[in-house]
Structures are given as C-alpha cells and as structure tokens.
Amino acid sequence: MLVYLFLSVCFYGFSQKSPKPVYYYDGNGDQIAKEEYLNKSSRYKSLDDRYIALAFEKDTCFIALLKKRKTIGKLSALQMKNMFSHLNVDNSSSRPKFSIIQYHPGRDDCNNGNYKSIGIAYNIYHRGYLKELKTFFNHNMYWIHKKDETIKFHRVKYINWRLDKNQCIEKLFFEYHYGCNSFVIVNNLNGNYISILGESSGKTVIEMAKEINDL
C-alpha cells in the first residue's frame, strides 16, 4: 500500500512502526544513502533542485523514494490526442497555444477538501490571479480531480471540476499521490510541458507559464 507522507512525518512513522529496514532511492530509482536522501529532499532548495519524498510500506521493508518536483518533458502525438480527447477538446484550430491542468489528488494530510481562495491573492483558486494569468498567457485552464466522494468538488461556482475518468491525467503526469495539488502546463503545438508536483501557489504557475514560452 502506498502511504503518502511529508518528509518530516515520513521517518517518524518509519521509526514507530516496526524494525523493518528502510531503503532509499533517488529520482532515477538508484539506491542512495539516507543522508543523501535527506539532503536532496530539503525544502530549502530551489524549485529546480527540489524533490518530493514518498514512502511505500512493503511486507518486509519500507521504500523511501524521491521524485523531482519540477519535470520538463514532451508528449508524443498519441499522448496529446488522448489528453485532448479526455479533456473534450475537439477542434485543434480553436485551441489556445497552452493548456494548464490543475490536478486535485483527493483528500490527504495537506488537503482537507477546503479548496477555495480564502482571500490569499495568489491562491490557485483566487479570481484575481486567474484573471491576471489570462492577460498575458494564451491558455485554457482545466480543473481535474481524482475520484473522492468525501469532497464536494462543485461548491465553487466559477471552477468547473472534471473527474479524471480512467485516470488519464494521473497516468500521464501524476504517477503517485502528491499532497495538496499539482499542475502541468502543456504547449498544444509541440507537446512540450512543465509539471510541478505538490502544493504550489499561483505565483509558481505564472513563473512556469513564462518559462514554457521558451521551450
């Protein structure tokens, strides 16, 4: 069973459960020492160098895995077709240059389902931030969520949440459960994308929107 934990909780949980050994792996799947794991997952690193810590409990051990928070990649033509089909985007001539997908992974320790602006200017749900983004970035925004019957996804009227049917978006970009929310920006013309795993503010979205223009 996959257990998502923040790093500060992760090792506490390991130490409390049982004497099972813990094995540490970097973002490439190579085994590393605990000290290197802790150093790489430090939250004080820049976004380009930062990792998210994931924890897996197996019968005989714990697996501690790092995933890079920021990924720059490229979708194949088939992946692009499947993504647009999933998003119900049919006419290629009417698409803006970019698609932004905000992904909600379901309830977790970081996210209790209270997804609203609460007055913070660069909260990802804030109307002002969403309007600002539209002024300089030619995009469509998609709000995609994993099935979670404990969260009422349609209580914010101006956000059109869509269920990630068949886990299409999850499989393309968000392999594991990353706390709070994640997002990806896709260039609809060439398939280049930037994804950010885990909680991010609107400012991070704006930074990545400016960066992907050069890809």
Side-chain angles (χ1 to χ4, degrees):
M1 179 181 69
L2 172 63
V3 182
Y4 175 83
L5 300 165
F6 285 110
L7 186 62
S8 59
V9 178
C10 176
F11 295 101
Y12 175 81
F14 284 161
S15 64
Q16 296 297 310
K17 281 182 174 289
S18 73
K20 291 180 184 179
V22 182
Y23 299 106
Y24 303 90
Y25 294 87
D26 64 15
N28 297 318
D30 297 323
Q31 190 168 354
I32 57 177
K34 176 181 177 179
E35 291 72 19
E36 183 178 355
Y37 182 91
L38 290 170
N39 179 56
K40 284 188 172 182
S41 56
S42 170
R43 64 178 179 172
Y44 299 107
K45 292 181 178 294
S46 69
L47 185 59
D48 286 326
D49 297 320
R50 200 175 305 165
Y51 290 80
I52 284 182
L54 299 171
F56 300 81
E57 182 178 2
K58 295 185 175 294
D59 291 340
T60 58
C61 67
F62 291 103
I63 300 296
L65 174 66
L66 295 176
K67 296 295 290 185
K68 200 80 179 287
R69 277 210 70 199
K70 178 182 175 182
T71 298
I72 297 176
K74 186 179 181 69
L75 296 176
S76 67
L78 179 58
Q79 288 173 322
M80 291 279 286
K81 180 180 178 181
N82 290 339
M83 183 189 75
F84 287 128
S85 175
H86 182 75
L87 296 174
N88 295 319
V89 180
D90 298 320
N91 187 357
S92 60
S93 64
S94 65
R95 295 174 195 154
K97 184 176 180 180
F98 298 99
S99 295
I100 301 178
I101 300 174
Q102 283 284 359
Y103 182 75
H104 193 300
R107 192 179 298 271
D108 53 45
D109 291 340
C110 168
N111 177 9
N112 63 5
N114 185 29
Y115 59 94
K116 56 185 179 180
S117 170
I118 63 173
I120 300 174
Y122 283 95
N123 180 287
I124 60 170
Y125 308 110
H126 195 282
R127 283 179 181 270
Y129 144 69
L130 295 173
K131 183 177 181 180
E132 177 184 345
L133 191 60
K134 273 289 187 183
T135 62
F136 73 90
F137 195 61
N138 183 21
H139 73 284
N140 277 341
M141 178 80 78
Y142 301 95
W143 302 86
I144 306 297
H145 70 88
K146 189 168 184 173
K147 186 174 182 179
D148 188 330
E149 295 178 355
T150 71
I151 299 177
K152 297 179 181 179
F153 282 99
H154 296 288
R155 65 186 179 188
V156 177
K157 302 301 182 183
Y158 59 89
I159 291 179
N160 180 27
W161 284 104
R162 307 183 191 184
L163 175 65
D164 187 19
K165 296 179 180 178
N166 302 316
Q167 299 174 292
C168 175
I169 301 303
E170 179 181 0
K171 291 173 182 176
L172 273 177
F173 304 108
F174 311 116
E175 181 182 6
Y176 302 113
H177 184 124
Y178 307 105
C180 299
N181 63 280
S182 299
F183 75 89
V184 60
I185 305 179
V186 181
N187 185 321
N188 297 330
L189 302 181
N190 58 25
N192 291 334
Y193 70 86
I194 298 177
S195 66
I196 302 294
L197 306 179
E199 184 180 20
S200 298
S201 70
K203 287 185 177 180
T204 303
V205 178
I206 289 174
E207 289 171 5
M208 295 305 104
K210 292 176 179 178
E211 181 174 332
I212 200 171
N213 268 313
D214 299 324
L215 295 181

